[in-house]
Amino acid sequence: MALRLNPLRVVLAAACVLPTLASGTGRTDAPHAAPAPAPARWTEHVAISASAGQHIHDHHPDVVLRIVTPEDGARITGAAKTGQFVRQVFGASSTTRLDPRHVRGTTVQAVPSPAMELMPSLFNDWLQQYFTLFPAAVPQGRTLLRVEANEWALIYQKPKAGQQLYQLNHFTRLRLQQPDGSTVDAGYCDDPGRDATLEQWQANDYARLRASARELAAACVQRFVSKLPQFFPQPLPAAGSGDGTARVRVINSATERVTMLSDAYCLADGSRRFDDPRWPAARNADAQDSEAGNLSLGIAETETLRSLKSPKFREYAVQAGQPLIFDADVRHRGAFCTGTLAVQIMPVTGVDYEVKMDIVGQVCKLNVHSVDAEGVRLAVPARRAPETCTRPDVDYAALTAKTPREPLDAMGVFLFTGSTLQVQPADSDSPPLQLADGPADAARLQTLLQQMLATPGTRACVIVPGQDHASPLNTLLRDYVLEHGAALPGLWEAAATVNQARHADPTATLDLQAAVQHCQTLPRLDFRVQ
């Protein structure tokens, strides 16, 4: 399966015509009516809420329009020159930089964020259509789609051709709260770049801005709709799979890793994880057993295996009729395959399979084949692995009533730059912190880590200038993560790796907001227990 290919997206787009803008009006059309009634009570399993998102750089999220004028910027600049801007504008403990995007400005209550006013009803319409077409995709338990308004602002720009322009900034975050209490990111809608004068934005009761809101809402909803099969998958057909065993050969190499998840209905699921011990189980980690040999259960040799000079493979016996997921990660001559590359199959009793990652041109492909007794391979239909799901064999009502789980999305982000450590605490309502990277602030960091441990499973995402970065607070942080194991899983990434993922210059300076956004895109499985 190719990384950029999502066959279900084509099916879904054909089944549910994506929202379009009516010519000349900016109106978002609702999806066409479906001929069949919606599945009974799907709204009892999926709810939609709109609310304020996280604090960004110490300013409250924008649930209504915020306007920042040059006068607002001048007040900050003047206060900064006298050393009083922290107390006057942001509060005594703030570390906010002098960026007009994060100035309070003035609010316009009559112009709410599209996340609050438009998106909930659009999401409801599309979910109605989706579950009408695919009623088996209605999840078990109760899932909450949270539409979080973060930024909705007109920010002054430098004058251009004698005109004072204002840029419309919009940022909405979509999150899915699962029946087991965990929360996953379902999308980000970050849309800067629309410029006009303030008079043009405000004309006719903000007509231009309201039209932009409808367009931005439609685009944001489209991004989510295209991934509905990833969040609300249909069950794989198990009929004919049998209840015996199948065998799987997973081929790896020095630059290609394939992980197998057994009994896995989605990437967030899976009762067991199978990694080749010769390959590090996580980025920036050592191999579990670099001297381990191949493991064979007797699957016939294929031409693919014979073509490899020093093949590295492991063969496993798996339960037929229980879904398998193969998740791949590739590093090839310094280039990375970005995004999620994972497929799902339903193994059949008595069938042998072979799984291998290939790079064809500049496209990464994960191939699954069946293997007969003569070593002949046949391609196996595989679908893109869903990101989230609910299991049919779990009583979610009993689970949440008797053993409620702590949310698994809590994460503290630590950014080392020069002689400072910037921190976004795991509590999203807490403002960012800045610590001196030395013994003087070690006690403050230790207090923060103790607060993170109050919610077991809280993750630590650490961005360092380089993997060999050595400093007092980085040493303290590593020791703390190692000591507390599963209670504080962690991940270290180099700034150059983050910039590469952001398609930025490897030497570009990172700010805390960019670090937070990058860390939020990393799969949970990358945060290994140290």
Side-chain angles (χ1 to χ4, degrees):
M1 181 176 182
L3 179 64
R4 292 186 286 272
L5 179 63
N6 183 359
L8 285 175
R9 179 173 185 170
V10 179
V11 175
L12 183 58
C16 303
V17 180
L18 295 176
T20 55
L21 300 174
S23 177
T25 65
R27 179 174 60 87
T28 301
D29 291 337
H32 298 298
R41 298 185 297 276
W42 72 266
T43 53
E44 295 181 5
H45 296 273
V46 181
I48 304 167
S49 73
S51 61
Q54 294 180 328
H55 288 63
I56 299 178
H57 286 287
D58 221 16
H59 89 75
H60 291 279
D62 300 325
V63 295
V64 298
L65 180 66
R66 174 170 53 97
I67 301 177
V68 179
T69 66
E71 291 74 19
D72 296 319
R75 284 197 295 271
I76 294 179
T77 304
K81 290 179 180 178
T82 63
Q84 303 299 316
F85 79 100
V86 170
R87 289 198 303 273
Q88 293 179 359
V89 184
F90 297 110
S93 64
S94 174
T95 58
T96 302
R97 299 177 304 158
L98 300 182
D99 187 336
R101 290 180 55 197
H102 309 130
V103 179
R104 290 175 182 171
T106 58
T107 57
V108 182
Q109 298 293 329
V111 187
S113 165
M116 305 297 293
E117 181 182 43
L118 301 174
M119 292 187 196
S121 61
L122 290 174
F123 282 123
N124 185 84
D125 291 343
W126 282 113
L127 288 173
Q128 174 89 0
Q129 294 291 336
Y130 181 72
F131 290 126
T132 297
L133 290 165
F134 308 111
V138 175
Q140 306 291 321
R142 184 172 177 83
T143 298
L144 176 64
L145 170 59
R146 291 160 51 180
V147 186
E148 298 183 353
N150 286 277
E151 189 173 11
W152 181 236
L154 290 173
I155 310 296
Y156 74 91
Q157 306 296 300
K158 292 181 179 179
K160 185 176 181 181
Q163 285 190 316
Q164 178 64 68
L165 299 179
Y166 285 73
Q167 184 180 83
L168 177 59
N169 287 347
H170 163 242
F171 175 49
T172 294
R173 183 183 186 186
L174 307 177
R175 309 177 83 193
L176 281 174
Q177 183 173 319
Q178 301 295 304
D180 64 0
S182 63
T183 303
V184 297
D185 286 319
Y188 296 91
C189 302
D190 191 0
D191 305 283
R194 297 171 183 239
D195 294 326
T197 66
L198 188 59
E199 292 74 18
Q200 290 171 331
W201 285 121
Q202 292 177 326
N204 300 318
D205 189 25
Y206 291 92
R208 183 173 187 159
L209 190 141
R210 295 181 192 276
S212 294
R214 290 190 288 272
E215 294 175 1
L216 293 172
C220 187
V221 171
Q222 283 184 21
R223 296 173 197 173
F224 179 78
V225 167
S226 69
K227 296 186 69 175
L228 278 176
Q230 302 303 304
F231 300 129
F232 301 105
Q234 295 195 89
L236 279 175
S241 299
D243 56 1
T245 60
R247 297 184 300 183
V248 179
R249 174 193 292 145
V250 179
I251 300 175
N252 286 283
S253 74
T255 58
E256 302 159 6
R257 179 187 69 181
V258 179
T259 296
M260 184 176 75
L261 304 177
S262 68
D263 190 21
Y265 288 83
C266 60
L267 284 167
D269 189 25
S271 61
R272 293 191 63 190
R273 175 187 175 98
F274 297 87
D275 284 298
D276 191 320
R278 292 165 290 194
W279 181 276
R283 300 183 210 183
N284 313 319
D286 294 328
Q288 301 172 43
D289 183 2
S290 59
E291 301 301 322
N294 293 331
L295 177 63
S296 175
L297 298 181
I299 299 177
E301 188 178 66
T302 63
E303 185 59 36
T304 298
L305 204 61
R306 288 190 290 269
S307 68
L308 299 174
K309 184 176 181 180
S310 299
K312 293 185 177 182
F313 64 89
R314 310 283 285 184
E315 295 180 3
Y316 308 98
V318 298
Q319 178 67 46
Q322 298 292 337
L324 292 177
I325 287 179
F326 303 100
D327 191 8
D329 184 24
V330 177
R331 182 176 182 177
H332 186 66
R333 294 190 180 93
F336 290 80
C337 294
T338 59
T340 300
L341 181 58
V343 298
Q344 185 182 48
I345 68 168
M346 185 70 76
V348 177
T349 297
V351 176
D352 292 337
Y353 299 90
E354 185 176 78
V355 183
K356 186 181 183 297
M357 164 66 69
D358 291 308
I359 299 177
V360 180
Q362 296 183 344
V363 177
C364 301
K365 298 185 67 177
L366 182 56
N367 296 311
V368 182
H369 293 85
S370 64
V371 179
D372 67 13
E374 304 299 324
V376 177
R377 302 193 315 160
L378 293 176
V380 172
R383 74 175 183 181
R384 181 174 177 179
E387 296 180 20
T388 64
C389 60
T390 53
R391 295 179 61 93
D393 54 356
V394 174
D395 184 346
Y396 288 97
L399 175 66
T400 54
K402 296 179 181 179
T403 56
R405 296 187 183 182
E406 295 288 351
L408 298 179
D409 64 329
M411 177 170 58
V413 178
F414 302 82
L415 174 63
F416 285 91
T417 55
S419 60
T420 63
L421 170 60
Q422 300 178 60
V423 183
Q424 176 58 61
D427 180 0
S428 60
D429 291 329
S430 298
L433 302 175
Q434 182 165 310
L435 309 179
D437 192 0
D441 274 346
R444 291 181 64 192
L445 176 58
Q446 190 163 4
T447 299
L448 177 63
L449 293 171
Q450 290 172 347
Q451 293 171 350
M452 292 174 64
L453 284 172
T455 304
T458 298
R459 296 171 289 165
C461 183
V462 187
I463 311 299
V464 291
Q467 289 302 332
D468 58 350
H469 178 68
S471 71
L473 294 193
N474 191 33
T475 300
L476 172 61
L477 189 53
R478 281 191 180 275
D479 291 345
Y480 218 86
V481 170
L482 285 169
E483 178 183 353
H484 292 89
L488 189 61
L491 177 148
W492 268 254
E493 290 236 302
T497 302
V498 179
N499 279 326
Q500 187 175 33
R502 298 170 59 235
H503 305 290
D505 188 297
T507 61
T509 301
L510 282 174
D511 61 20
L512 186 58
Q513 184 177 8
V516 170
Q517 290 179 350
H518 173 77
C519 289
Q520 289 170 341
T521 67
L522 298 175
R524 284 187 193 147
L525 291 177
D526 281 358
F527 289 80
R528 310 299 290 178
V529 175
Q530 303 298 315

